[in-house]
């Protein structure tokens, strides 16, 4: 009996050995479980029914590839064993010598080990960088799509989605093509599968081309209703559409099927946020909107710390261009005062009044808000003194403009590379931008700025392509492109552009001398015509810093829509030897130069006068010295926005 059991065991082991050799030669899993539909010559596409547990990638490989790998591995092991047994005594002596001199051997291997570790680290980092986009594609798109459609298609959950979902990295581009391999039985609903694919990949305007015939059925997904590849203003048809656009709704671009994409600043969204990474077309988008509004007589304020974002706007009537942070700071304060004035005028006019009666439409282009807000905070930190608020008044003025709404006809176009709540001053500030234009965005940026639209459309690298998010939906848009010359030509023409009057002069380190806060409204809502260049007498008066005419009282402006500027009284005589503090100098002696600008100049301008005394902790300066410094400080000529 014992001999019989032994014979059975030997027979069983021999049978297992034969089966194992057969599985090796057939390229199958060694445990004998067939997990995929792979054959010896063809790679697998799906997991077989009733297979449990994780299915590794090698189970999808054809048998011949697995056999080749096993033969190569076995040959390498056999070769190593053969070489080690050729001279056993020499091998033993070599091991003994290596052990006896192990410290020297380790010292000799140390540089090589460090080099190998460095190469491994660099290689791993390079691999992670090169495959980052592919891994993001699998995590954000292919994996969720597989989770949604494997049941309708009748596939096992363990099926590797890469085996049947062929989704390219640029699947959102116009010419991209998505291929999905289908099971042979075709026992599924095409409508259900198509709807799930469209939803999970956030596709718009696509068609499904089904190919059920043959051994490998599949479906192709292509974009058919797509925006135009280019949207150029020089196209006669496009130019005609721009000319017909409403004054409050400039054309942003064209969507699927060439449909016009625009946002009505009066009826839909008073402010617009543009979020894009470098090279995403932020300045092009702002140029498109700003030149159209200038064409209809709007006033445009460009707050640009980069200084060179909009060269097309230099010197145009109706444009105020601020480059230095001191000018941006003062201009925001002036715009905040204008917003308060318009609030009083609108309240006095009543609900039935013409909205244009409060003044011309104002467009504020705030470039690179991430850098600008930091510079405003640093500027105020350097200039503020004891008793001043901690938050810059320029930031408060910007927030007031954003909260005031569309009734005041003041609109902010804000540009950011990353429009975080911290960069904008809080989440409540970001919520004022009900229209958001996103280009070359990350998944995190979309979740932060447009969480109501889910899933996020795949960002595309198509030049000029963006997503315009408004009203809980996103529209893929080809941004209308104006060249610099075309934008300048369109901004300086039009029936209302000439009547809107000249630009507001800007001087370095002080707000505009004729800021909008001091401009009285008219019955037509248009600004007074541009003033003539100053005469020699006027320049002499300005050089001696003669006091300006007192502005009309706010209540007077609000109650009289046709008010005219008051006559200029004779200037008061001021003792130039009088010693005053900076606050008194800004309020009574140096018209147009703010206290913040004086503090900034005291800290940064080596030509700023020395103090003449002290009053407690306050430094005092001679009025004559301050006037002399004011005459000689760098500033732009009156009546121009060109600061260079």
């Amino acid at each position: 009996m014992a001999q019989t059991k032994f014979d059975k065991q030997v027979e069983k082991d021999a049978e297992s050995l034969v089966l194992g050799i057969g599985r090796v030669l057939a390229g199958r899993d060694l445990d004998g479980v067939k997990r995929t539909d792979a054959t010896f010559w063809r790679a697998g596409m799906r997991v077989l029914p009733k297979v449990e547990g994780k299915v590794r990638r090698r189970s999808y490989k054809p048998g011949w590839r697995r056999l080749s790998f096993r033969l190569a591995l076995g040959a390498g092991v056999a070769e190593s064993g053969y070489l080690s047994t050729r001279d056993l005594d020499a091998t033993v002596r070599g091991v003994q010598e290596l052990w006896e001199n192990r410290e020297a051997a380790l010292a000799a291997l140390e540089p090589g080990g460090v080099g190998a570790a460095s190469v491994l680290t660099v290689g791993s980092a390079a691999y992670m960088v090169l495959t980052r986009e592919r891994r993001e594609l699998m995590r954000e798109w292919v994996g969720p799509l597989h989770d949604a459609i494997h049941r309708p298609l009748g596939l096992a959950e363990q099926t590797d989605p890469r085996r049947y979902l062929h989704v390219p990295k640029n699947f959102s581009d116009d010419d991209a093509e998505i291929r999905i391999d289908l099971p042979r039985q075709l026992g599924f609903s095409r409508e259900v599968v198509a709807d799930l694919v469209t939803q999970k990949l956030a596709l718009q305007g696509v068609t499904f081309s089904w190919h059920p015939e043959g051994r490998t059925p599949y479906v192709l997904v292509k974009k058919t209703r797509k925006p135009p590849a280019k949207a150029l203003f020089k196209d006669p048809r496009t130019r005609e559409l721009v000319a017909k656009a409403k004054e409050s709704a400039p054309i942003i671009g064209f969507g699927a099927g060439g449909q016009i994409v625009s946002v009505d600043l009066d009826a839909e969204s008073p402010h617009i946020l543009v979020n894009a990474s470098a090279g995403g077309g932020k300045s092009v988008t702002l140029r498109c909107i700003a030149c159209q509004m200038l064409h209809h007589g709007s006033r445009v304020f460009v707050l640009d710390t980069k200084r060179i974002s909009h060269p097309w706007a230099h010197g145009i009537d109706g444009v105020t261009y601020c480059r230095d942070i001191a000018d941006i700071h003062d201009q925001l304060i002036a715009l905040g005062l204008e917003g308060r004035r318009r609030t009083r005028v609108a309240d006095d006019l009543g609900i039935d009044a013409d909205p244009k009666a409060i003044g011309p439409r104002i467009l504020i282009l705030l470039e690179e808000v991430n850098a600008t807000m930091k510079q405003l905070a640093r500027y105020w930190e350097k200039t503020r003194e004891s008793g001043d608020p901690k938050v810059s008044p320029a930031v408060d003025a910007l927030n007031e403009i954003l909260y005031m709404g569309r009734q005041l006809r003041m609109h902010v176009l804000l540009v950011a590379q990353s429009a975080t709540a911290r960069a904008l001053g809080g989440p409540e500030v970001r919520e004022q931008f009900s229209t958001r234009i996103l280009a070359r965005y990350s998944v995190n940026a979309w979740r932060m700025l447009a969480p109501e639209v889910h899933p996020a459309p795949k960002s595309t690298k198509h030049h000029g392509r963006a997503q315009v998010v408004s009203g809980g939906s996103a529209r893929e848009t080809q941004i209308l492109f104006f060249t610099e010359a075309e934008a300048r030509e369109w901004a300086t023409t039009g029936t209302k552009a000439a009547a809107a009057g000249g630009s507001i002069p800007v001087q370095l380190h002080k707000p505009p001398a004729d800021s909008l806060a001091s401009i009285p409204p008219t019955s037509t809502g248009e600004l007074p015509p541009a003033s003539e260049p100053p005469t020699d007498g006027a320049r002499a008066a300005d050089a001696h810093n003669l006091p300006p005419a007192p502005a009309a009282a706010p209540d007077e402006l609000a109650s009289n829509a046709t008010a005219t500027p008051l006559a200029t009284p004779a200037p008061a005589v001021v003792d130039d030897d009088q010693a005053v503090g900076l606050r008194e100098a800004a309020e009574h002696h140096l018209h147009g130069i703010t206290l913040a600008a004086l503090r900034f100049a005291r800290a940064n301008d080596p030509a700023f006068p020395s103090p003449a005394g002290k009053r407690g902790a306050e430094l005092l300066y001679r009025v004559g010295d301050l006037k002399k410094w004011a005459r000689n400080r760098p500033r732009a000529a009156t009546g121009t926005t060109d600061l260079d």
Side-chain angles (χ1 to χ4, degrees):
M1 178 66 68
Q3 184 65 28
T4 304
K5 290 182 177 180
F6 177 77
D7 293 341
K8 288 183 178 180
Q9 184 63 36
V10 170
E11 183 179 353
K12 185 176 181 180
D13 292 343
E15 183 179 356
S16 300
L17 179 62
V18 172
L19 289 175
I21 294 175
R23 292 166 186 165
V24 170
L25 298 178
R28 296 174 55 186
D29 292 335
L30 297 181
D31 59 1
V33 178
K34 186 174 177 59
R35 293 176 171 83
T36 69
D37 60 345
T39 64
F40 187 80
W41 298 109
R42 181 175 57 83
M45 293 176 54
R46 60 187 180 88
V47 176
L48 297 179
K50 299 182 180 181
V51 173
E52 298 180 355
K54 183 178 180 180
V55 179
R56 300 188 178 276
R57 295 180 60 182
R58 60 173 176 263
S59 298
Y60 292 91
K61 295 181 180 180
W64 67 269
R65 289 190 58 181
R66 303 182 71 178
L67 174 61
S68 301
F69 174 79
R70 291 167 178 173
L71 292 178
L73 179 62
V77 173
E79 180 69 15
S80 300
Y82 172 75
L83 293 177
S84 63
T85 57
R86 288 283 294 172
D87 191 347
L88 185 59
D89 295 337
T91 302
V92 172
R93 286 194 303 270
V95 172
Q96 291 176 347
E97 292 177 359
L98 182 62
W99 176 255
E100 293 173 356
N101 301 283
R102 58 186 180 278
E103 294 184 358
L106 290 175
L109 290 175
E110 184 175 357
V114 173
S118 301
V119 171
L120 181 62
T121 302
V122 173
S124 300
Y127 174 80
M128 295 298 291
V129 171
L130 294 176
T131 60
R132 179 186 60 81
E133 192 173 359
R134 186 67 187 178
R135 286 184 284 108
E136 180 180 328
L137 176 71
M138 295 298 300
R139 181 180 66 253
E140 299 293 338
W141 303 102
V142 179
L145 177 60
H146 165 72
D147 294 338
I149 69 171
H150 74 84
R151 290 184 183 277
L153 289 178
L155 301 177
E157 184 179 358
Q158 303 94 320
T159 302
D160 188 349
R162 290 170 292 190
R163 298 296 167 177
Y164 74 100
L165 296 177
H166 309 288
V167 182
K169 291 184 290 186
N170 61 336
F171 70 87
S172 62
D173 289 352
D174 294 344
D175 56 350
E177 184 177 277
I178 302 171
R179 173 178 171 138
I180 302 176
D181 295 328
L182 304 174
R184 297 182 185 180
Q185 65 270 21
L186 299 178
F188 56 86
S189 171
R190 293 186 179 184
E191 290 76 13
V192 172
V193 173
D195 185 57
L196 290 173
V197 172
T198 303
Q199 292 183 31
K200 299 304 292 184
L201 297 183
L203 299 174
Q204 297 178 1
V206 295
T207 58
F208 289 78
S209 178
W210 301 88
H211 298 271
E213 66 279 354
R215 296 176 56 190
T216 56
Y218 64 94
V219 58
L220 292 180
V221 186
K222 297 181 180 179
K223 184 183 294 186
T224 54
R225 297 184 65 252
K226 51 193 175 185
K230 294 181 180 180
L232 305 178
F233 175 72
K234 66 180 181 181
D235 185 354
R237 180 177 175 274
T238 301
R239 190 183 183 100
E240 181 181 356
L241 293 174
V242 172
K244 294 180 180 179
K246 292 174 57 179
E247 178 259 348
S248 62
I251 293 179
I252 298 176
F254 298 93
Q259 295 182 349
I260 295 176
V261 177
S262 63
V263 177
D264 195 319
L265 299 175
D266 287 339
E268 298 177 9
S269 174
H271 312 298
I272 299 176
L273 170 64
V274 181
N275 187 95
S277 59
K282 300 184 292 293
S283 297
V284 171
T285 305
L286 266 65
R287 182 168 71 213
C288 164
I289 298 175
C291 72
Q292 294 182 66
M293 299 193 69
L294 281 167
H295 181 80
H296 291 287
S298 299
R299 304 295 293 272
V300 174
F301 292 82
V302 184
L303 312 182
D304 179 21
T305 56
K306 289 173 58 178
R307 307 180 68 89
I308 56 174
S309 298
H310 301 281
W312 64 273
H314 294 172
I316 294 180
D317 287 345
V319 175
T320 299
Y321 207 118
C322 300
R323 297 174 177 84
D324 294 307
I325 196 62
D327 297 325
I328 294 174
H329 179 275
D330 295 342
Q331 188 63 75
L332 283 173
I333 295 175
L335 288 168
L337 294 175
E338 169 65 6
R340 295 181 182 180
R341 184 198 69 80
R342 291 190 173 204
T343 300
R344 293 191 294 267
V345 173
D347 182 49
D348 187 73
L349 292 175
I351 59 176
D352 296 329
D354 183 359
K356 297 181 180 179
I358 65 173
R361 193 181 300 276
I362 294 176
L363 186 66
I364 304 169
L365 272 60
L366 185 55
E367 279 278 357
E368 300 298 346
V369 70
N370 298 86
T372 302
M373 298 298 280
K374 292 180 181 178
Q375 293 186 38
L376 284 173
R378 287 196 297 266
Y379 173 79
W380 181 243
E381 184 179 353
K382 290 182 179 180
T383 57
R384 67 182 293 267
E385 291 185 352
S386 177
D388 291 336
K390 292 184 178 180
V391 179
S392 168
V395 176
D396 286 339
L398 176 61
N399 292 341
E400 285 186 13
I401 295 171
L402 291 173
Y403 292 136
M404 285 174 183
R406 62 180 64 87
Q407 292 85 354
L408 302 185
R409 292 163 58 83
M410 299 179 70
H411 313 286
V412 177
L413 266 67
L414 187 145
V415 177
Q417 288 193 5
S418 180
T420 61
R422 180 179 180 182
L424 300 182
E428 65 279 0
V429 176
R430 192 169 59 194
E431 291 303 315
Q432 303 306 312
F433 298 92
S434 55
T435 295
R436 303 167 184 183
I437 303 175
L438 294 89
R440 296 192 181 182
Y441 48 85
S442 65
V443 175
N444 290 334
W446 186 274
R447 290 172 178 170
M448 176 178 60
L449 296 176
E452 69 275 14
V453 181
H454 184 78
K458 180 73 166 62
S459 178
T460 176
K461 295 182 180 179
H462 188 103
H463 192 64
R465 191 63 57 83
Q467 294 284 347
V468 179
V469 181
S470 181
S473 62
R475 300 182 65 183
E476 187 177 14
T477 304
Q478 184 67 28
I479 301 298
L480 178 58
F481 179 76
F482 286 79
T483 65
E484 303 247 347
E486 290 170 347
R488 188 176 185 87
E489 178 267 334
W490 192 251
T492 53
T493 58
T495 57
K496 295 184 180 181
S503 60
I504 295 177
V506 175
Q507 294 183 340
L508 289 175
H509 307 309
K510 71 174 186 177
D514 56 344
S515 68
L516 290 178
S518 63
I519 296 177
T522 63
S523 58
T524 61
E526 296 179 349
L527 295 179
S531 58
E532 295 295 328
T535 62
D536 294 338
R539 290 193 182 94
D542 179 69
H544 289 84
N545 260 334
L546 296 181
D555 294 339
E556 198 175 310
L557 291 176
S559 61
N560 186 6
T562 59
T564 57
L566 299 177
T568 304
V573 178
V574 179
D575 184 6
D576 287 351
D577 290 333
Q578 180 183 353
V580 296
L582 291 186
R583 185 180 299 275
E584 184 180 354
E587 294 176 352
H588 302 292
H589 303 290
L590 301 179
H591 171 66
I593 303 181
T594 63
L595 176 61
L598 287 175
R599 292 173 178 171
F600 184 81
R602 180 177 63 182
N604 298 276
D605 190 352
F608 195 78
S610 302
K614 294 185 69 176
R615 183 168 54 204
E618 181 183 18
L619 296 175
L620 302 179
Y621 300 84
R622 289 189 178 89
V623 174
D625 294 342
L626 291 175
K627 288 182 177 181
K628 182 179 179 180
W629 167 82
R631 290 195 301 269
N632 297 327
R633 78 191 191 283
R635 56 180 175 177
T638 303
T640 179
T641 58
D642 194 353
L643 301 181
D644 291 333

